[in-house]
Amino acid sequence: MNREIYVTPKQYRIIALLVEKREISIDELAKELSTKREDLMRDLAELEHKGLLRVERYRVPEHVLTDTGKRYIEKGLPEEQVYSFVDKCCGVPVDLFLKCVEEYGVLSSDAYIGLQYLVKSSCLGVDNGKLYVKNRAFCVDVINKAREIRQLVLDLVSGKKISEDIISLARRRQIIETREKSLFKVTVVSSLLEAWHAGLIKEKELITIVKPEIALELDKYLIKEFDLTVELPNIPISKKHPFMQFIDELREIMVSMGFEEVKGPHVEAEFWNFDVLFQAQDHPAREIHDTFYLKTTLTAQVDPTLLEVAKRVHEKGWGYTWSPARALRLVLRSQTTAVSARALSERGGGEYRVFTIDRNFRPESLDAKHSMEFYQLDGVIVGKNVTFKHLLYFFKEFTAALGLREIWFKPGYFPFTEPSVEGYVKHPKLGWIEVFPGGMFRPEVMEMLGCSGYKAAAWGIG
């Protein structure tokens, strides 16, 4: 190599340090140059491309504290925590001793483990079913050993070397976990040494834009060239809307809680949207759902047996002449409970949980709480022993999964559930919003769906 090589001032400092040390880790190099390691990667890549150095990647084990380990470092190992309250809690049966220790703030799992270590070391003993201090000297030994382990673990995670026995012990006690850490080292190559000693390495200021005022002095600068061989990054042409991401999150929560998703049509029969839910055709309750009716002569197809059962239940329960023709008219689905009803009719009695999350349509006035088209999360829990308490518990677990804290319930009314409930959550700007209407499907509904003898907790969140 007998031609001059131009590098930036920063790259020149890298080369000078590398020539001196011959080999250096990137972390050490960054420290020597008072910069961040990530700020060196581009310069190292350019120098490696010029054949002046070699960057090598290697892996080393790294020991880090687990969540349990962090708790032990802060509060002490379980035996230390438990021993702190021995004098206050001893002299009682084991279960009462553990309860006493827990009342002082020790986790139940830590209390149990700590007691095991203290008994195993003969610090504590059991006589006539009651705990007592067996040997104070042994207690001191086990506590000193615990403190020593804590200090050695701190030394380990800070990078110091300790014995493999202590490392194995810390792993067994779930104080640490070992991961692989990727490191990089930079090695000098012979061509760089030759060029350096021959005085061929020169530094110039790097510029990326040639301005008119320096056009006559370009020899003073190192001009960064465009690399047209570099592939352009892929730019996503679209991404999912935040609301749809939220819908997916709801779906994942329901599946994680053991529910199976079911689907239904947007254009629905009045039978599934109203009648099978025991909403009388001539009752004012039918007006609860303002509905989009289809202007068409087409009608739905429903099993005649289901129509016969619905006619008998409606006429017996409401005392009017039920019209199958009206039940077969088509509407835009106004509630996803129609999908739940279809699912129960198809599956019949049994023990299962299903949900659906999809669009509904109502002629609403658009505001912060209402829309003509909206999503609803509807579901049912079916079984012989399902109760209203199961429904309330589901609401609480579901809101907890969403990170909601302020929630309250009040009695509600819906034509197809009894008892019924309305659940509210607190919005920071809109105030209390009803989002959890639900209840237990009435026996009449379960009969029309072919699930007599079973109970169903149902809801329509929207």
Side-chain angles (χ1 to χ4, degrees), residues 213-264:
E213 55 267 27
I214 62 172
L216 300 178
E217 300 177 334
L218 293 181
D219 290 341
K220 296 180 180 180
Y221 301 99
L222 180 62
I223 303 173
K224 189 172 183 65
E225 298 178 355
F226 288 102
D227 186 354
L228 300 179
T229 63
V230 175
E231 294 185 6
L232 294 175
N234 291 326
I235 301 176
I237 59 176
S238 64
K239 63 179 181 180
K240 189 168 288 188
H241 190 278
F243 178 72
M244 298 311 299
Q245 293 178 3
F246 175 65
I247 293 296
D248 289 342
E249 181 183 350
L250 296 179
R251 182 175 286 111
E252 291 176 6
I253 291 173
M254 294 301 296
V255 172
S256 71
M257 295 175 72
F259 286 79
E260 178 186 352
E261 185 174 12
V262 292
K263 293 288 188 180

Side-chain angles (χ1 to χ4, degrees), residues 77-95:
L77 267 60
E79 54 267 39
E80 294 180 272
Q81 298 180 50
V82 173
Y83 186 71
S84 298
F85 307 105
V86 161
D87 293 333
K88 297 178 181 179
C89 298
C90 252
V92 297
V94 173
D95 57 340

Side-chain angles (χ1 to χ4, degrees), residues 210-428:
V210 177
K211 298 180 180 180
E213 55 267 27
I214 62 172
L216 300 178
E217 300 177 334
L218 293 181
D219 290 341
K220 296 180 180 180
Y221 301 99
L222 180 62
I223 303 173
K224 189 172 183 65
E225 298 178 355
F226 288 102
D227 186 354
L228 300 179
T229 63
V230 175
E231 294 185 6
L232 294 175
N234 291 326
I235 301 176
I237 59 176
S238 64
K239 63 179 181 180
K240 189 168 288 188
H241 190 278
F243 178 72
M244 298 311 299
Q245 293 178 3
F246 175 65
I247 293 296
D248 289 342
E249 181 183 350
L250 296 179
R251 182 175 286 111
E252 291 176 6
I253 291 173
M254 294 301 296
V255 172
S256 71
M257 295 175 72
F259 286 79
E260 178 186 352
E261 185 174 12
V262 292
K263 293 288 188 180
H266 291 152
V267 175
E268 186 58 278
E270 282 196 60
F271 178 80
W272 296 109
N273 202 70
F274 297 120
D275 294 273
V276 80
L277 299 176
F278 203 49
Q279 288 185 263
Q281 294 177 337
D282 60 350
H283 194 281
R286 190 93 170 208
E287 301 304 318
I288 289 177
H289 303 288
D290 292 332
T291 306
F292 287 113
Y293 287 88
L294 268 64
K295 292 183 178 180
T296 178
T297 57
L298 297 175
T299 58
Q301 299 294 318
V302 177
D303 187 337
T305 303
L306 294 179
L307 295 176
E308 291 175 7
V309 175
K311 178 179 177 64
R312 173 171 49 81
V313 171
H314 272 258
E315 293 183 352
K316 178 182 177 181
W318 297 120
Y320 75 107
T321 301
W322 184 79
S323 169
R326 179 168 182 178
L328 297 179
R329 292 194 305 180
L330 298 177
V331 298
L332 285 183
R333 185 179 64 203
S334 64
Q335 55 182 343
T336 41
T337 311
V339 182
S340 298
R342 282 179 174 269
L344 266 69
S345 179
E346 292 171 1
R347 296 167 184 245
E351 304 282 338
Y352 54 90
R353 287 171 282 182
V354 296
F355 80 98
T356 184
I357 183 166
D358 206 346
R359 289 179 295 166
N360 296 296
F361 311 89
R362 297 179 191 173
E364 300 274 10
S365 298
L366 184 63
D367 60 26
K369 300 181 182 180
H370 302 87
S371 177
M372 292 75 72
E373 177 182 327
F374 62 96
Y375 273 77
Q376 199 172 38
L377 169 57
D378 204 278
V380 288
I381 303 172
V382 182
K384 282 187 175 294
N385 300 313
V386 175
T387 67
F388 191 60
K389 288 183 178 180
H390 292 115
L391 176 64
L392 298 182
Y393 185 77
F394 164 77
F395 284 152
K396 290 182 178 179
E397 287 297 300
F398 184 76
T399 53
L402 289 172
L404 300 174
R405 294 293 178 264
E406 294 188 79
I407 175 175
W408 66 278
F409 301 109
K410 76 169 188 177
Y413 166 74
F414 304 103
F416 42 89
T417 58
E418 180 61 37
S420 302
V421 64
E422 295 176 3
Y424 294 77
V425 296
K426 184 70 172 293
H427 187 279

Side-chain angles (χ1 to χ4, degrees), residues 14-33:
I14 293 173
I15 291 173
L17 195 59
L18 187 58
V19 169
E20 176 188 346
K21 296 184 177 291
R22 293 298 194 270
E23 183 179 281
I24 188 172
S25 71
I26 290 184
D27 289 331
E28 185 181 353
L29 180 62
K31 184 177 180 181
E32 291 280 353
L33 298 178

